Amino acid sequence: MEKIGKIAKNLDLIARVVYTVCSVFVWVLPITAVLLLIFGEQVIADGTYTVTLGMLTLEFAEEYMPFEAVKFRVIAGLLSVAVLLVFVCWFIRVIQSVLEPMKEGKPFESAVSDKLKKLSFITLIGGGVLSVAKLVGEVVLCKMYDLESIFLNENIISCTAEFNLDMTFLLAFGVLYLLSYIFRYGEELQKQSDETL
């Protein structure tokens, strides 16, 4: 149990650092988005306009890209990362509450299983939001840059975009949900052991 306590303390320290960094960026990113709304032309005008498609990176001529579209893309990206970081902060707080009894050498204290179940639902909601945001971002990117007109020429007769919704977060949800039941069973065994003593 002493080893579990040491590992939990180290993990809690890492979680505190990550939480601090993420919470700072939760505020910095929306402020940056507002500044881009106000001073966007000076900030974005000097940059290059690129899109990465797998192993290809396309750099567009400045006159091809309307400034408003680029500004919208950057602001939407900043705000979506800020929303994602809110879920990360929430996730880390719940992890810290799970680690709290483990630091004291009590991994099967009551309520750990409930916190793991809560963690699984945060993963489900956050993963769903992230997947939908990623899908919407891909659709917007495809429409904004009008990729079909860029690629269609006499050598390419068709250009098709396939949009997929990433569902891997369901696996993490399932694992955490199952883990909550394993810890609940451990809590019951701990309770029976304490009553026997």
Side-chain angles (χ1 to χ4, degrees):
M1 288 296 176
E2 188 178 321
K3 195 169 187 178
I4 289 175
K6 280 185 180 178
I7 292 170
K9 284 177 185 174
N10 291 335
L11 289 174
D12 186 54
L13 180 66
I14 293 168
R16 285 178 198 273
V17 171
V18 172
Y19 178 84
T20 303
V21 170
C22 288
S23 60
V24 166
F25 277 101
V26 163
W27 293 104
V28 168
L29 293 175
I31 291 169
T32 306
V34 169
L35 290 174
L36 277 175
L37 273 173
I38 299 167
F39 305 108
E41 201 152 344
Q42 292 89 1
V43 176
I44 296 176
D46 298 332
T48 57
Y49 306 119
T50 61
V51 173
T52 302
L53 305 170
M55 64 179 192
L56 296 174
T57 300
L58 307 174
E59 187 170 335
F60 293 99
E62 191 175 327
E63 58 274 2
Y64 179 77
M65 283 309 308
F67 168 72
E68 288 302 318
V70 174
K71 184 169 83 167
F72 170 77
R73 179 180 170 212
V74 172
I75 290 172
L78 289 172
L79 294 178
S80 60
V81 170
V83 169
L84 175 65
L85 288 176
V86 168
F87 278 101
V88 170
C89 287
W90 188 18
F91 190 85
I92 290 171
R93 278 296 186 208
V94 176
I95 285 179
Q96 286 180 307
S97 66
V98 168
L99 291 172
E100 201 58 45
M102 291 182 186
K103 289 193 307 191
E104 299 164 11
K106 302 174 187 174
F108 294 112
E109 185 180 274
S110 63
V112 169
S113 62
D114 291 334
K115 291 171 186 169
L116 284 171
K117 191 180 283 189
K118 185 178 182 180
L119 209 56
S120 70
F121 283 106
I122 293 171
T123 303
L124 181 66
I125 295 167
V129 168
L130 178 63
S131 294
V132 169
K134 190 175 174 186
L135 179 67
V136 169
E138 288 173 354
V139 171
V140 168
L141 184 76
C142 198
K143 297 296 180 196
M144 188 172 80
Y145 287 97
D146 193 19
L147 296 180
E148 288 182 8
S149 69
I150 294 170
F151 290 117
L152 288 180
N153 60 45
E154 64 274 356
N155 297 323
I156 300 173
I157 57 171
S158 174
C159 179
T160 307
E162 288 185 25
F163 303 105
N164 298 316
L165 189 62
D166 183 15
M167 302 296 276
T168 53
F169 65 93
L170 291 175
L171 179 64
F173 164 74
V175 168
L176 286 169
Y177 197 76
L178 180 65
L179 201 57
S180 74
Y181 279 103
I182 292 170
F183 269 80
R184 175 158 294 150
Y185 182 68
E187 289 169 12
E188 290 297 321
L189 290 176
Q190 184 70 46
K191 188 188 290 185
Q192 290 173 7
S193 173
D194 291 345
E195 287 172 358
T196 305
L197 292 175

